[in-house]
Amino acid sequence: MKKRKLLLVGSTGVIGAGLKAAFVSSYELITGGIDHEDIYMDLSSVDSIKSALKEIGTIDALVCTAGQANFRPLASIDAAGIDKSVYSLGLQNKLLGQVNLALAARAYTKTDSVIVLTSGTTNRTPILGGSSLGMVNGALDAWVKAAATELPNGPRINCVSPSLVEGTPMQFVRAFPGFAVVPMHHVVLAYIRCLESGINGETVVV
């Protein structure tokens, strides 16, 4: 049986690397991103997203684990326009970057294709300095649910919301005091559920 083609955006990060190892034997895997991947793709650039998708062509599945946002204490964040705001990176990269990727990917998916985005725990369990991530993660969860209602003929779209994942570098672990570490195997299963179980418009918390 021919393997389904899966585009994994962000395969060099902690979660992406775990998914790459898990999916390489079961999918025709193509990686995209800004660092040592098969196809260069910068989430902050719509032109880059569209160019990469055009080069890849039709896909059966898309998983995005990429996206950046600033950690900053709220006391140090001033009111500012989007171009100068501390929140700009998260809004334009992790949030709008993933949204634009999903929107552009519609032209390269089939009715039985599936798109999986990645949010995170901080909109449900706040951390100090994490207001940007909290805002972005909550928006991603809400957008996926809303988008699914307007894609009745596919592709399906879901989101995985991971907590502190096994293998996270220590400088980031310190930002999550008291959090239990989620084994990578559990994280992989969450993405598999989004890809293969038939759910749509859901956020799988892990």
Side-chain angles (χ1 to χ4, degrees):
M1 182 181 294
K2 184 179 180 181
K3 292 181 179 179
R4 287 163 61 83
K5 184 191 290 187
L6 186 151
L7 170 60
L8 173 60
V9 179
S11 70
T12 60
V14 174
I15 295 174
L19 295 180
K20 181 178 179 180
F23 292 161
V24 69
S25 62
S26 54
Y27 286 92
E28 178 189 343
L29 189 64
I30 301 170
T31 62
I34 59 174
D35 185 32
H36 304 296
E37 326 240 13
D38 296 330
I39 302 291
Y40 181 82
M41 180 189 292
D42 179 358
L43 284 184
S44 66
S45 167
V46 174
D47 288 342
S48 177
I49 291 171
K50 289 183 175 179
S51 176
L53 289 170
K54 184 176 181 180
E55 183 175 351
I56 294 165
T58 303
I59 54 175
D60 298 294
L62 164 64
V63 174
C64 183
T65 66
Q68 302 174 11
N70 285 316
F71 276 89
R72 198 71 59 85
L74 191 68
S76 69
I77 300 176
D78 294 326
I82 186 66
D83 56 328
K84 296 181 179 180
S85 175
V86 167
Y87 294 132
S88 178
L89 178 63
L91 292 171
Q92 297 192 34
N93 192 290
K94 183 170 184 179
L95 175 56
L96 194 55
Q98 290 195 81
V99 169
N100 281 333
L101 175 60
L103 292 173
R106 291 175 299 176
Y108 300 94
T109 56
K110 310 170 187 177
T111 55
D112 62 347
S113 295
V114 57
I115 295 170
V116 185
L117 307 183
T118 302
S119 58
T121 190
T122 52
N123 61 306
R124 300 182 313 277
T125 312
I127 59 172
L128 296 174
S131 62
S132 180
L133 277 172
M135 174 171 56
V136 167
N137 290 337
L140 280 166
D141 290 347
W143 185 81
V144 163
K145 184 176 182 178
T149 66
E150 299 192 54
L151 294 169
N153 300 314
R156 292 186 296 112
I157 184 166
N158 295 299
C159 193
V160 173
S161 179
S163 186
L164 180 62
V165 178
E166 175 186 7
T168 299
M170 186 54 63
Q171 65 265 34
F172 298 113
V173 171
R174 295 190 186 99
F176 293 83
F179 279 65
V181 175
V182 180
M184 182 59 70
H185 175 65
H186 292 180
V187 177
V188 170
L189 288 176
Y191 284 90
I192 291 174
R193 183 182 172 201
C194 287
L195 288 166
E196 300 178 7
S197 73
I199 62 173
N200 189 29
E202 299 292 330
T203 294
V204 176
V205 177
V206 60

